[in-house]
Amino acid sequence: MHLDFTKLSARDAYQWMTLTILPRPIAWVSTIAADGKTNLAPFSFFQGVCANPPTLMFVPVNNRQGVKKDTVRNIEAVPEFVVNKLRASAPRCRCERRRPACFTTPKSFAPLPATC
């Protein structure tokens, strides 16, 4: 099968890529908004790019209405973020959904200080 991505809509190209590029690890990207509110959002377009210097990428595409997601707006306002990766054996939790693909962490979760 040959796909001509120049003839596909952005949505169709995205579907083909997410269904065929496997495995797709999930990055949980945490950000802080200008008003201090925290945000944790999953990104399946996430990958290590190179080791020297250590570089990774995640793709916070716009929502279906073409509006920037909270993660992007937060990074533009407060230029930092943390990429979190769960172990496969990590316990699962239920999170309250505020917006599509945006979660408020349960009260039992507490942010840990960043270490570099």
Side-chain angles (χ1 to χ4, degrees):
M1 174 185 275
H2 175 78
L3 289 174
D4 184 350
F5 278 84
T6 64
K7 295 181 179 174
L8 295 176
S9 70
R11 176 175 273 172
D12 288 341
Y14 175 85
Q15 290 297 321
W16 273 105
M17 292 178 73
T18 60
L19 293 173
T20 56
I21 300 172
L22 298 170
R24 281 194 352 247
I26 304 297
W28 288 89
V29 178
S30 54
T31 57
I32 301 174
D35 63 4
K37 290 182 182 173
T38 58
N39 182 62
L40 181 66
F43 289 92
S44 62
F45 265 21
F46 158 68
Q47 197 59 257
V49 178
C50 68
N52 189 13
T55 306
L56 60 83
M57 65 100 193
F58 72 97
V59 183
V61 296
N62 294 342
N63 68 20
R64 289 185 175 150
Q65 291 74 38
V67 177
K68 292 178 183 178
K69 291 184 176 180
D70 290 346
T71 301
V72 175
R73 290 194 307 268
N74 291 351
I75 293 171
E76 288 175 344
V78 179
E80 60 185 50
F81 62 90
V82 176
V83 173
N84 305 275
K85 179 76 175 89
L86 295 179
R87 296 184 320 262
S89 61
R92 299 187 185 271
C93 69
R94 291 185 57 182
C95 297
E96 175 188 334
R97 212 171 166 119
R98 288 188 304 138
R99 296 183 182 167
C102 177
F103 297 86
T104 301
T105 55
K107 292 184 193 247
S108 62
F109 279 38
L112 298 173
T115 57
C116 297

